[in-house]
Amino acid sequence: MVMRHQPDDQQSRLFMHYMVAQSIPSEVDKKGRLAIPKALRDYAAIGAELVLVGLYDRLELWSPFRWDAYLLGLKDQHEFLLEKIVSLL
């Protein structure tokens, strides 16, 4: 009998990124700018600079510090996590 293990917190988070990341609709103004609500800027610690990440048909906005920390945390586990996610589909 094959037993499947539950994903840990980091694996669950990565899975959620791939599958059901939250989004907020917004409109681009006449000058081509996109307003980011203050609550989201504060939550994401976005200041004058940000990292724009394409995720299928959506965009994620990250503070550069948090994005680097996120990637660093996944560096050693990236391939393993992706294999595990694919096995859950």
Side-chain angles (χ1 to χ4, degrees):
M1 174 158 87
V2 175
M3 295 187 66
R4 294 187 180 215
H5 297 284
Q6 293 293 327
D8 62 26
D9 289 344
Q10 184 179 26
Q11 294 162 347
S12 294
R13 182 170 181 242
L14 183 57
F15 178 75
M16 297 306 283
H17 258 125
Y18 284 113
M19 302 305 286
V20 293
Q22 291 184 9
S23 63
I24 294 177
S26 187
E27 294 184 20
V28 177
D29 70 12
K30 292 179 182 179
K31 293 185 178 183
R33 299 174 297 190
L34 179 66
I36 305 168
K38 182 175 179 354
L40 290 179
R41 287 193 320 267
D42 292 345
Y43 175 78
I46 293 173
E49 295 183 359
L50 61 87
V51 175
L52 181 65
V53 178
L55 184 64
Y56 299 110
D57 62 346
R58 291 177 171 71
L59 299 173
E60 288 186 349
L61 307 177
W62 289 70
S63 76
F65 174 78
R66 286 190 176 173
W67 178 247
D68 289 343
Y70 177 69
L71 291 179
L72 186 60
L74 294 177
K75 185 176 180 181
D76 295 333
Q77 297 185 38
H78 186 73
E79 186 174 327
F80 171 76
L81 292 175
L82 289 178
E83 287 175 9
K84 190 161 189 170
I85 288 170
V86 169
S87 74
L88 295 173
L89 299 178

